[in-house]
Amino acid sequence: MKAHVSSILLGVRDMDRAKQFYTEGLGWKIKNDYGISVFFESDGASPVGFYGREGLAEQVGSGPAGSGFSGLVLTYVVRSEARVDEVMAEAQKAGAKVLKPAGALPWGGYGGTFADPDGYIWSLGYSDRGTDQPYAE
């Protein structure tokens, strides 16, 4: 198996709320809306999509309850501290819960963390330590 993710599916409790958060709040563009699932324009990266939480849990043979930290963190690496601050502000304005405000990180970078309306954790970051960062933008 290769170190590659073909797509990322997030199980959401309220499809309309999730679409509104990501499209109106963060500016994502919908590529395909199948009703039970939605996929966004990926700009060449792994596509991100939503699926109804209960249906996705059933599809993978799991229960939909979920609680606490799942161990999953989605990262978004940008090219400046200012862009970290901008994205954090966009997310908060759209209804995200800020878990860790943007600031200096223990390893020398700069970043912050927020949770979307379904509790998925996004870690934003910037570092000037390398030229081979997996930049999202």
Side-chain angles (χ1 to χ4, degrees):
M1 186 172 168
K2 295 180 181 180
H4 176 87
V5 176
S6 297
S7 69
I8 299 166
L9 275 178
L10 304 176
V12 298
R13 290 180 176 84
D14 183 328
M15 186 68 73
D16 291 332
R17 179 188 69 183
K19 286 194 293 190
Q20 182 179 9
F21 176 82
Y22 284 95
T23 58
E24 295 175 23
L26 298 183
W28 290 19
K29 305 282 187 255
I30 293 175
K31 180 177 181 179
N32 300 105
D33 187 339
Y34 300 108
I36 64 167
S37 65
V38 174
F39 283 89
F40 295 90
E41 297 289 339
S42 67
D43 294 324
S46 296
V48 176
F50 300 147
Y51 202 102
R53 186 174 181 93
E54 298 220 358
L56 185 59
E58 182 180 330
Q59 183 176 315
V60 300
S62 181
S67 65
F69 179 60
S70 69
L72 172 70
V73 174
L74 304 165
T75 61
Y76 195 80
V77 179
V78 296
R79 297 177 189 271
S80 71
E81 291 182 9
R83 186 61 183 140
V84 169
D85 293 334
E86 291 169 2
V87 175
M88 289 293 291
E90 290 171 6
Q92 188 169 20
K93 183 179 176 185
K97 178 181 178 184
V98 173
L99 301 176
K100 186 174 179 186
L105 298 172
W107 49 267
Y110 182 85
T113 309
F114 69 84
D116 78 358
D118 281 283
Y120 291 106
I121 298 172
W122 285 88
S123 175
L124 277 64
Y126 162 74
S127 174
D128 62 1
R129 294 187 180 218
T131 57
D132 61 346
Q133 302 290 315
Y135 292 114
E137 57 177 70

